[in-house]
Structures are given as C-alpha cells and as structure tokens.
Amino acid sequence: MTDPAWISTALSSARPQAVAALLRYFRDLDTAEEAFQEACLRALRNWPEKGPPRDPAAWLIFVGRNSGIDAARRRSKQAPLPAEELVSDLEDVEAGIAERLDGQHYRDDILRLLFICCHPDLPATQQVALALRIVSGLSVKQIARAFLVGESAMEQRITRAKARIANADVPFEAPGPVERSERVAAVLAMVYLVFNEGYSAGATEIANRAPLCEEAIRLARLLLRLFQTEPEVMGLTALLLLQHARAAARFNAEGELVLMEDQDRSLWNRSLIDEGLALIDKAMRHRRSGPYQIQAAIAALHARAARPEDTDWAEIDLLYSVLESMTPSPVVTLNRAVAFAKLRGPEAALKLIEPLAPKLAGYFHFFGVKGGLLMQLGRAEEAREAFDRAIALANTAAEAAHIRMHLDRLSAPSPKSVKANTKAPSSQLQ
Amino acid sequence: MLYAILCYNNEDVVCAWSQEQDDEVMARLAVVTGKLRDQGRLGPVARLMPTTAATTLRKAKDEPLIIDGPFAETKEQFLGFYVVDCETLDDAVDVAKELADANPGGGSYELRPIGAFFPGKETA
C-alpha cells in the first residue's frame, strides 16, 4: 500500500483535518494550504520508503506546521528547523497530536474550515466550489469540469471567493453552543448543495459530476464523526447515502432519466442503502425530528420497497405533511403531490398543486408534475401545454428528453401508449 | 482452537478508498479466505459498517445509558461478540439490554450494523 495511488487516497482523506488544524496555527488560509501542500510532497517522498504513518493526519499537521514555520523563518532569514527525517521522536509527537485531535478543539477546527466556505455573501455555487477546493482538495480543473466552465474562469471564481472570506473574520476562539449549532446547520446545508450539484446532473455530465455526490457523502460522514449525537447530521448522511444508492439506475443506456418506479431496483446499491437505513434508525431514536431526517425517512421508505407497488405511500404522504409544516415551501408540496396522487388520485393531487402556480411559474418540475397529472386524467391538450412549459424550463437535456417522451405518447394515441400514459409524474426528490 | 481475528485500521483512510481500490483489497483478501474455506477452516466473516453507524450501551447503576458512537474506552477489554438478526436498532438495543441484565459485571456493548456477512462453515 505504498504506491502513489494509495498514498494519494490517504492524503486526501487526511486533508480536512490537516488543513483545518493548520488554519488554526497560521490563521491564514493560503499559508495553511501551502503548508499542507508541502507536507504532502514530503509524504510522497517519505511514505513509499518508510510506509505510511499510523495517523496520516497527525503526521501531515506536524510536518506541515514545521514547514510553514520554516518558510516564515526563511523569509526572515533565520535558521531553518530540522527536516522531519531528523526528528527522532516523531512517533511520540504524533501520539500527542493524535490525542489532541480527538478533543473538541479539533472538532471546531474542521467545523470552522467548513463554515468559512458557507459565508452568506457567497452565492451557493461559490460556496460549493470553495468547499470542494479547500476542504475536499479537488483540483480547479476537476471543479471546473463539474460546473461546466473553463478552468481559468473557475480559478478566478475561487480566487474571488477566497478574497471575500479572507475579510470575513470568522473568529478562531471556540464557538459557544448556540453558535456551534448554527455553524453545523449552515455546513449541513452546504454539504447538501454539494450533493445536489452532482445529483441534478444529466446523464452526459454525470461522469464529471458524480464525484460531487461522493465528496458530499465524505463530508457528511466527516461531520457525523465529529457530531456523533446530532440526529440531523445522521439524517443528512442517511439521505445522501439513500439517494446516491440509486445512481446506477437513474439513467438508461440512452442517457434518459428513468423514473423511480421504472428503475431496475437490482441496480440499487445495497450496502449504501443498508448504511442509510441504519443511520436513519439511529436518528429516529432521538425523537428530535428535523427536515433532513424526514427526507431521509421518505427515501428509506422507497428503498425498503422491493417493488414499486410495495411503496408505503400513506406514510410518505404523512412524512411530507410533517415536512411541509416544518419547512413550508411550494417545492415540498409539489413533491407531496406525487404521494397524494397515488393515494387519492390525480384529481386531488392537481387541486393540491394548483395554488402553487404563481410561485412555481419558473420551475421545471412543477410543469412536469402538472402535465403528468393532467395526462392521467385524460386532459391531453392541457397536459401538452404543461409539458411544453416544462421543456422550456428544463435544466438538463435529460430532463427535456424525459418530457418529450411524454409528449410523444400524447400525440400517438395507440392503445399501448395510452396505457403507458398512466405513469405517475416525476418528482424532484425521486 | 477457534481464533477470532479482529481487524483494526484507520477508518478515515479506508472510507476514502475508491470503489476500485476497495474491490482490489477485497479480491486480495478473498484469496486468503478462499484458501481457508477450501480447507474447511473458515467460520463467519463480517465487514462492519463505519463507526458512525454504531451505538453503545453502557451499563449504569439503574437504566443502561445509550450513547451514539462506538465504544471508546480503553479501560475495558474486548471480550466477545454476538451476531443477532434485528429488525430495527430498537430491537438490537433490547437484546443488548437483556444481555447486560444477565451479565453480573459492568461493561458496555457496542451495537454495530454489519455491512457484509459470510456465514462460513458450521463450527461446533
């Protein structure tokens, strides 16, 4: 396990901890990142020979801190510190650092690093780009590819975002409990954004964007290890695992979106589902519900259904109504309409979403769902109108293609396609 | 003599393995376990879910404490384990409570869902 690929995995897994601790030492993001880079270079020289250390993060923090101080001294023309090869008691130092790593300090370090990426002045996409660059350590090239922009444009965006947070003045003292929980909430929202950037991609972009989903899951797991008793952290992690578990089944060979009820469930990733179910189970025991837990519970009900017809729509409808009261939003109501249609028919679901029209006039999924319901009711002309609106508002080629498939069925009224037309509408969460 | 061989490693690193890296490790391990299986010596093998999925039951004076997260004390030693099929975590907690009641000493039980399980041969 000493070849470069394995070492690079170990380095990237240690990155959030190491950069976060170095940021606390140097109080400057660029210096912390440079020190981490230098430590990584030394690891690449050292580890193949000596084997990786037992605690890569502690090693990188120690060596990074030395090299950072060293660089500062070189700049002020003082004597350099000894190279890490000459430090004989590195093992002991490591143990000392590792112990401290377990403490609250360390937890707040990582939280701070994540939190500065969620600065409210930064638009959502910049928060995501910054977190991917600073916390996950993705290259600018990888991030640019994920956002479908040129490398230099992304470089500029990240530099600008960094300049903004440099003046943000996030205090380095340990936060109080209220502040800490506010930071956790902001960071959870940012992790969810990272995931959605990956999840909402079409089939053609999925290869470049799927890593965002994996990064988001890594960040969620990291947060969960730091905040082991927070049910919402468990909820978000479970939600991401359960959604990502369906990745292989969400697009067909032609790159078209496949609705959940048409997905080949044998392609769902069982081990991700099992972990998600275990986490949501754990969260529920706290009896302190929250939006991520509710959404995870909905995803869990889908995951538990061996066949689409086994889905517990009544429970899903109930959970959506809880979610509606917790976080009132037309998008949540729209998602509820899908369960509503299953339980009480398309007419009732249509009544539920009609009041949302003014608020969702620019929302692709609204017209997708509406068209689907109208189609089920046999109101072909109105359905076609809604689908036309949806296509105009589609965010990805796959979304547009999916709606076009419905339109084709509408204009070819053979008995076979009429039957196929009674499909449920698509929902954002599905 | 039956031996339990317990694996310890850095979870951060293992969780960061790509699917390909993970598959590679599992394939290499399968060579070792395959040989043991052919010899009729391999009992159950389990890969546990990450410690983030763990819950710990700690015996206390009255009701046992249920704590999120893995067992983290160093004053107690690992003495044995059970594999029990449970519908929910609540069921698993109930089982652990029963065990704790039946056991006169103090101590803790870590409840960790199993990610992958291979029953292996019957070992009498």
Side-chain angles (χ1 to χ4, degrees), chain A residues 29-30 116-127 130 134 156-170:
Chain A
L29 199 50
D30 284 332
I116 58 174
C117 301
C118 335
H119 194 277
D121 284 356
L122 297 178
T125 52
Q126 283 194 20
Q127 293 185 10
L130 207 58
I134 295 175
Q156 261 180 15
R157 232 187 263 182
I158 290 175
T159 311
R160 266 204 301 272
K162 269 188 177 175
R164 254 194 196 157
I165 56 165
N167 308 320
D169 228 15
V170 176

Side-chain angles (χ1 to χ4, degrees), chain A residues 172-186:
Chain A
F172 281 87
E173 294 80 61
V178 175
E179 207 183 347
R180 187 178 289 125
S181 80
E182 283 169 2
R183 286 187 184 186
V184 171

Side-chain angles (χ1 to χ4, degrees), chain A residues 17 225 228 281-282 285-286, chain B residues 12 52 54 68-69 89-90:
Chain A
Q17 291 94 314
R225 263 202 296 282
Q228 300 208 345
D281 234 23
K282 209 175 135 171
R285 283 181 53 87
H286 285 263
Chain B
D12 285 338
T52 44
D68 287 311
L89 177 60
D90 286 340

Side-chain angles (χ1 to χ4, degrees), chain A residues 180-244:
Chain A
R180 187 178 289 125
S181 80
E182 283 169 2
R183 286 187 184 186
V184 171
V187 168
L188 288 177
M190 185 268 288
V191 171
Y192 196 32
L193 274 176
V194 174
F195 184 84
N196 272 334
E197 281 297 330
Y199 193 75
S200 59
T204 45
E205 308 122 47
I206 206 79
N208 290 332
R209 285 202 171 190
L212 300 195
C213 294
E214 279 149 32
E215 277 312 320
I217 288 173
R218 258 185 69 196
L219 293 174
R221 282 207 177 112
L222 173 69
L223 276 170
L224 186 52
R225 263 202 296 282
L226 299 175
F227 299 94
Q228 300 208 345
T229 59
E230 283 301 321
E232 275 294 83
V233 184
M234 296 174 204
L236 177 67
T237 314
L239 175 62
L240 304 190
L241 289 166
L242 292 168
Q243 304 240 65
H244 194 52

